[in-house]
């Protein structure tokens, strides 16, 4: 069981979590993964910003501290109820990660300690979002990463299920906090969920979906405040009906980078994206077109907005290497995606999307597709209207 920040936002909410754990315990032994209290990690980030901290080791030490508080509190409440609980930090298990501070990947989880603790305790309360690298330093898994802790632990111990408790009742056809008409989806495939998350639906950390898919671990997203069934995320073979479009996602955290007047020669793209890889920048959409005379090319791509300034400086510093004429960047853009397994066998989905945007006088800045997704870049100020009108036009 994993409980997100809003589910452990204060003492009453943590007591509520203890009740949910107690009920579930009748049937199983449990691992409970917690986030920090809602807003806490943002607060810690602000402290780091205030001192312009540029040391990843210290940053992760500070950022991961909120989880220590919540696991201690929950374990204490459970023990008061005579439920044998033990709180554990990432390094104690240990959850071994790579050295990529602030966005570390889990390399290995030692099951031995967990198994031996289960001889004595019925509930292990684990801090989400954190691990330890081989040097013994604390690392964090990236914002929203406690979902990934939960899925990784559940996979490591071959758990029956992994339930992710949050502040909405499941996965919806679009962000329920933006689209009033959004509906809860009873079941969604790993593939669709992966596209939804990576295209902005922050209800699940993208890497948690990747891991669940790899290990074929069924997830349930549900609310810690209502007792309703949530959304199951599972293997596609278990889905009887495949919706043509099952959801609309958006992300405002994108920046568009356009490099113009690049010599149209082999190796230039490799140079540009090689620079991005060296700096650990996650590039998403890439669009290239060649000028009419076939001499020059333009490349447009998107990067997370937090990396915008850094990427801009890398490209400027490498003007001689890339040999481009001009660079334009734009922070105020939004990526809108429609996602659905049925797209593989149906035509007309793209046309409907483009028509709907045109009817709302929204200009498309770039397009990219996968088998089960179409994404467009638009001006950020049209995000709400684009998401709502697409949600309507596909009858979600
Ligand atoms: P937690 O703190 O529990 O991890 P998050 O804030 O990370 O919760 O994720 C839950 C939020 O995800 C919801 O409040 C909702 O606004 C947002 N969200 C975005 N897209 C979707 C979607 N398609 N379905 C459900 N929630 C979504
Ligand atoms: N507390 C961390 C964050 O706010 C991890 C999480 O909530 O998943 O990003
Ligand atoms: Mg989250």
């Amino acid at each position: 069981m994993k409980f997100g920040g809003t589910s452990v936002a204060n003492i009453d909410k943590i007591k509520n979590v203890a009740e949910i754990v107690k009920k579930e315990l009748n049937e199983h032994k449990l691992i409970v993964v917690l986030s920090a209290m809602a807003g806490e990690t943002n607060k810690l980030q602000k402290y780091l910003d205030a001192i312009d901290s540029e040391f990843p080791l210290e940053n992760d030490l500070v950022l991961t501290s909120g989880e220590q508080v919540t696991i201690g509190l929950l374990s204490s409440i459970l023990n008061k109820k005579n439920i044998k609980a033990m709180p554990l930090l990432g390094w104690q298990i240990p959850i071994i990660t790579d050295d990529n501070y602030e966005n570390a990947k889990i390399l290995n989880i030692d099951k031995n300690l967990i198994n031996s603790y289960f001889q004595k305790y019925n509930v292990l309360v684990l801090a989400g979002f954190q691990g330890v690298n081989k040097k013994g330093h604390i690392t964090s898994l990236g914002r929203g990463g406690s979902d990934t802790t939960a899925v990784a632990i559940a996979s490591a111990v071959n758990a029956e299920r992994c339930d992710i408790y949050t502040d909405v009742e499941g996965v919806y056809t679009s962000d329920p906090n933006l689209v009033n008409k959004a509906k809860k989806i009873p079941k969604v495939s790993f593939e669709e969920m992966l596209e939804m998350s990576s295209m902005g639906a922050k209800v699940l950390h993208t890497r948690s979906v990747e891991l669940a898919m790899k290990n074929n671990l069924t997830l349930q997203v549900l609310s810690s405040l209502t007792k309703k069934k949530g959304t199951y995320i599972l293997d596609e073979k278990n889905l009887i009906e495949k919706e043509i479009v099952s959801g609309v996602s958006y992300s405002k955290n994108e920046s568009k980078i356009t490099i113009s007047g690049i010599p149209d020669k082999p190796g230039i793209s490799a140079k540009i994206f090689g620079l991005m890889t060296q700096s650990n920048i996650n590039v998403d959409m890439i669009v290239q077109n060649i000028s009419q005379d076939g001499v020059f090319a333009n490349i447009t791509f998107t990067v997370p907005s937090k990396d915008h300034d850094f990427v801009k400086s890398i490209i400027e510093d490498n003007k001689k290497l890339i040999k481009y004429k001009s660079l334009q960047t734009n922070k105020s853009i939004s990526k809108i995606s429609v996602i659905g397994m049925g797209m593989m066998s149906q035509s007309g989905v793209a046309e409907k999307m483009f028509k709907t945007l045109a009817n709302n006088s929204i200009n498309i800045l770039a397009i990219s597709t996968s088998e089960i997704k179409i994404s467009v870049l638009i001006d950020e100020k049209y995000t709400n209207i684009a998401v709502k009108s697409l949600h309507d036009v596909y009858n979600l």
Side-chain angles (χ1 to χ4, degrees):
M1 308 169 85
K2 179 259 172 177
F3 294 88
T6 41
S7 303
V8 292
N10 54 44
I11 298 295
D12 282 342
K13 295 258 174 77
I14 300 177
K15 284 184 176 163
N16 174 53
V17 168
E19 283 304 315
I20 300 176
V21 169
K22 190 175 164 190
K23 277 198 198 99
E24 195 71 38
L25 193 60
N26 293 329
E27 297 170 41
H28 319 267
K29 292 207 169 194
L30 295 170
I31 297 179
V32 180
V33 174
L34 298 187
S35 293
M37 292 182 180
E40 190 62 26
T41 315
N42 286 344
K43 196 174 98 191
L44 298 166
Q45 181 63 55
K46 283 201 185 110
Y47 292 146
L48 293 166
D49 295 343
I51 60 163
D52 245 335
S53 173
E54 49 193 36
F55 304 105
L57 187 154
E58 282 84 348
N59 288 357
D60 272 358
L61 191 67
V62 172
L63 273 183
T64 56
S65 60
E67 275 72 9
Q68 179 159 345
V69 175
T70 50
I71 63 165
L73 292 171
L74 177 65
S75 183
S76 199
I77 295 170
L78 290 171
N79 278 303
K80 262 201 158 164
K81 291 181 188 285
N82 290 322
I83 295 170
K84 287 187 184 144
M86 177 71 186
L88 291 166
L89 293 166
W91 66 266
Q92 291 176 292
I93 296 172
I95 296 176
I96 305 286
T97 72
D98 63 15
D99 289 339
N100 192 14
Y101 293 96
E102 296 174 74
N103 197 19
K105 305 270 178 314
I106 298 176
L107 299 176
N108 186 41
I109 295 180
D110 190 344
K111 283 183 291 188
N112 293 324
L113 191 83
I114 294 180
N115 288 333
S116 68
Y117 270 116
F118 270 140
Q119 312 275 325
K120 217 169 142 198
Y121 301 97
N122 292 324
V123 184
L124 305 183
V125 187
L126 265 51
F129 181 52
Q130 55 176 256
V132 60
N133 63 16
K134 288 187 179 141
K135 296 173 193 145
H137 302 153
I138 307 293
T139 53
S140 78
L141 307 181
R143 295 303 307 271
S146 42
D147 297 329
T148 297
T149 308
V151 173
I153 283 277
S155 306
V157 301
N158 290 317
E160 274 177 58
R161 267 205 340 262
C162 180
D163 287 347
I164 311 262
Y165 287 83
T166 182
D167 60 348
V168 288
E169 284 178 14
V171 178
Y172 283 66
T173 48
S174 194
D175 184 350
N177 286 322
L178 181 86
V179 182
N180 295 335
K181 294 188 210 159
K183 286 203 239 18
K184 183 162 82 186
I185 311 173
K187 288 179 181 175
V188 61
S189 70
F190 289 127
E191 286 85 353
E192 285 169 304
M193 193 64 233
L194 192 58
E195 293 279 17
M196 283 195 198
S197 297
S198 59
M199 294 303 125
K202 73 159 181 167
V203 61
L204 284 177
H205 197 228
T206 306
R207 278 162 46 208
S208 73
V209 186
E210 250 165 35
L211 255 184
M213 179 156 118
K214 198 168 126 210
N215 297 306
N216 199 1
L217 171 74
T218 299
L219 306 179
Q220 183 184 192
V221 174
L222 69 171
S223 164
S224 59
L225 301 170
T226 64
K227 293 198 178 71
K228 294 186 188 155
K229 254 202 173 130
T231 297
Y232 285 90
I233 296 122
L234 69 195
D235 191 64
E236 181 222 333
K237 288 190 283 298
N238 301 331
L239 283 175
I240 302 162
E241 214 174 334
K242 291 175 195 150
E243 298 291 339
I244 297 176
V245 170
S246 44
V248 181
S249 290
Y250 67 96
S251 164
K252 294 182 181 176
N253 303 320
E254 313 274 326
S255 285
K256 181 166 78 90
I257 314 285
T258 301
I259 311 178
S260 314
I262 315 168
D264 184 25
K265 283 195 198 127
I268 296 285
S269 297
K271 270 186 197 147
I272 297 173
F273 296 109
L275 290 169
M276 298 300 120
T277 309
Q278 275 166 30
S279 304
N280 241 317
I281 305 283
N282 234 331
V283 174
D284 183 36
M285 279 183 167
I286 303 176
V287 183
Q288 175 181 296
N289 40 47
I290 312 294
S291 65
Q292 273 182 338
D293 55 17
V295 182
F296 293 104
N298 301 334
I299 287 189
T300 295
F301 57 96
T302 57
V303 296
S305 279
K306 67 172 174 48
D307 296 327
H308 168 274
D309 297 353
F310 185 40
V311 168
K312 192 166 175 242
S313 69
I314 296 174
I315 295 167
E316 282 166 354
D317 292 348
N318 286 282
K319 190 159 191 198
K320 282 207 182 106
L321 179 82
I322 308 171
K323 301 191 181 76
Y324 63 89
K325 285 193 180 139
S326 66
L327 170 67
Q328 294 104 31
T329 67
N330 186 348
K331 273 187 180 174
S332 322
I333 56 149
S334 200
K335 182 173 60 188
I336 314 288
S337 310
V338 298
I339 295 137
M341 291 295 283
M343 242 183 244
M344 283 197 265
S345 52
Q346 290 275 338
S347 61
V349 180
E351 186 201 359
K352 209 177 217 176
M353 180 179 200
F354 304 152
K355 259 194 188 150
T356 307
L357 296 172
N359 290 342
N360 286 288
S361 305
I362 300 171
N363 196 24
I364 300 174
L365 308 172
I367 302 170
S368 80
T369 61
S370 79
E371 263 188 324
I372 62 163
K373 173 206 77 188
I374 306 165
S375 299
V376 297
L377 288 188
I378 61 169
D379 192 322
E380 190 183 308
K381 67 174 185 260
Y382 299 121
T383 310
N384 290 13
I385 172 88
V387 173
K388 283 181 185 158
S389 51
L390 289 169
H391 195 267
D392 278 345
V393 79
Y394 292 109
N395 294 320
L396 295 174

